[in-house]
Amino acid sequence: MIYSITLNPALDHIIETDGFNIGETNYYSQDYTVIGGKGINVSIVLNSLKANVLSTGIMGEKNKNPFIQKFDEVNLKNKFFFFDGNTRTNFKIKNLNKNEETEINGIGIIKELKLLNDLKDFLSSNLEKDDIVIASGSLPNGVPTNIYKEIGDICNSKEATFILDTSKIQMIEGIKSKPFLIKPNIEEICEILNIPFKEYNFSEIEKMIMELKTMGAKNVLLSMGSKGSYFFSENGDKYKVGIAKGKLVNSVGSGDSMIAGFAYGLYKKLDIIKTLKYGAAAGGATAFTQWLAQKEDIEPLIETISVEKI
């Protein structure tokens, strides 16, 4: 069983315009709303791949319907804990003429901290040995920054595999639980290690990865955007992973899809080469679609991904 946790979901309101200028009156041709949140994205992609996945976390009671409707539509198992209020809304303005996107993201606020205990109790009661737990995304205001560490500790006590995809102080705290996998980019690593964000050579990156492992990470999947990714395994092996070829449509959710593809490889007990290919294929397939990739988008790309042990 795979559990995907989202503590700060969002409704993404996307506005498409042929021109956008700050400080001026702008007009748009089309707008639409999709459900969001990194863990929710992960669970939707895993569900499309036919994994046994349950999406859980915390969200607002007052605007839960778009989430529940989408879960029902794609037949995704879910168990959320609801607070009396609204889930945050993110606004994404796409300037189609310049291929630019401006994001205005809500922070999210949770005052009912009892819900965190409800979620932890749910995990403690249901997790079994070798289950996979994926905790993804930011934290809303009011949630303690050590919540991911607490979730990781529960996973350890149940002998479940913990994957953590977050940043900032919640990653610094969460990594103390020794997650099986983290998926940072260079900027996020610099933030974690409190060093300048700039271009680093591979030798310097290796030293940064070793420091992350010293802090608790077992395996590190380093996202390098259009340059692909690197995987630094627990046993010291290193792999360079290529990217899928296609036309970029929407990069939102691509990193979440990569996590989903990797987790699917673990779930199916695939070897590390095939697991990394699934991750890269899922990330690329989502980048080539308007929302999140489906199984039929992902699988044709798998054998096009290069994976080289270095």
Side-chain angles (χ1 to χ4, degrees):
M1 181 76 173
I2 305 176
Y3 296 82
S4 184
I5 300 171
T6 312
L7 298 180
N8 202 17
L11 288 169
D12 289 340
H13 190 95
I14 299 167
I15 298 168
E16 294 183 350
T17 175
D18 292 325
F20 177 73
N21 297 299
I22 299 293
E24 297 181 8
T25 299
N26 296 276
Y27 297 90
Y28 63 90
S29 55
Q30 181 176 333
D31 70 313
Y32 54 94
T33 300
V34 296
I35 65 171
K38 292 176 70 64
I40 288 174
N41 292 343
V42 169
S43 62
I44 288 173
V45 174
L46 278 166
N47 188 62
S48 174
L49 287 168
K50 310 304 181 187
N52 184 16
V53 60
L54 181 139
S55 193
T56 186
I58 295 172
M59 70 171 61
E61 174 74 33
K62 292 183 178 178
N63 58 350
K64 68 180 182 181
N65 286 346
F67 295 93
I68 303 303
Q69 288 169 3
K70 178 56 72 172
F71 296 157
D72 289 345
E73 178 186 323
V74 300
N75 197 28
L76 172 62
K77 290 185 288 188
N78 59 92
K79 171 65 176 176
F80 276 81
F81 299 86
F82 298 97
F83 62 88
D84 183 19
N86 288 303
T87 299
R88 66 186 174 131
T89 298
N90 297 332
F91 296 91
K92 302 180 186 296
I93 304 169
K94 292 187 176 184
N95 184 344
L96 302 180
N97 277 347
K98 294 185 177 181
N99 197 28
E100 293 176 345
E101 185 170 303
T102 301
E103 296 189 17
I104 307 171
N105 288 347
I107 296 172
I109 299 174
I110 293 179
K111 297 179 181 178
E112 300 172 35
L113 295 185
K114 175 185 176 296
L115 295 177
L116 296 176
N117 291 329
D118 293 341
L119 173 61
K120 288 185 288 185
D121 289 345
F122 171 74
L123 294 172
S124 295
S125 299
N126 288 277
L127 282 183
E128 298 181 353
K129 185 177 184 295
D130 296 329
D131 281 345
I132 299 170
V133 177
I134 306 163
S136 304
S138 62
L139 299 180
N141 280 353
V143 172
T145 56
N146 68 343
I147 182 63
Y148 286 142
K149 179 185 182 302
E150 292 181 343
I151 290 172
D153 288 342
I154 293 170
C155 293
N156 293 336
S157 71
K158 298 292 183 176
E159 298 184 68
T161 299
F162 183 46
I163 296 175
L164 180 59
D165 185 23
T166 187
S167 58
K168 302 179 181 178
I169 184 64
Q170 57 264 26
M171 175 61 91
I172 295 172
E173 290 294 322
I175 205 173
K176 295 175 183 176
S177 68
K178 298 180 170 52
F180 177 81
L181 180 76
I182 63 172
K183 187 197 68 66
N185 56 34
I186 291 294
E187 184 174 5
E188 289 167 338
I189 291 177
C190 291
E191 189 173 46
I192 294 166
L193 300 181
N194 195 26
I195 58 177
F197 172 48
K198 62 183 182 68
E199 189 168 333
Y200 290 92
N201 62 39
F202 188 74
S203 178
E204 291 170 324
I205 290 172
E206 283 188 293
K207 292 178 182 177
M208 292 155 66
I209 297 298
M210 287 305 300
E211 193 164 348
L212 292 177
K213 289 187 174 184
T214 300
M215 295 171 69
K218 294 181 180 178
N219 300 279
V220 180
L221 182 58
L222 172 61
S223 174
M224 300 288 286
S226 62
K227 297 179 181 178
S229 59
Y230 289 96
F231 180 69
F232 299 84
S233 76
E234 187 176 7
N235 65 10
D237 290 341
K238 299 181 285 289
Y239 297 86
K240 184 179 186 338
V241 186
I243 61 171
K245 299 294 192 296
K247 181 181 178 182
L248 177 64
V249 175
N250 174 34
S251 62
V252 175
S254 183
D256 308 327
S257 300
M258 177 181 279
I259 286 285
F262 189 98
Y264 181 75
L266 293 181
Y267 169 75
K268 298 296 286 186
K269 295 181 168 47
L270 305 178
D271 63 53
I272 188 58
I273 300 290
K274 196 68 174 281
T275 296
L276 290 169
K277 286 186 175 187
Y278 257 99
T286 283
F288 307 151
T289 59
Q290 191 166 13
W291 189 40
L292 296 169
Q294 299 292 299
K295 179 182 176 74
E296 58 267 26
D297 304 315
I298 296 168
E299 295 197 329
L301 296 177
I302 291 169
E303 294 309 321
T304 72
I305 305 294
S306 63
V307 178
E308 175 190 0
K309 190 174 182 179
I310 54 177

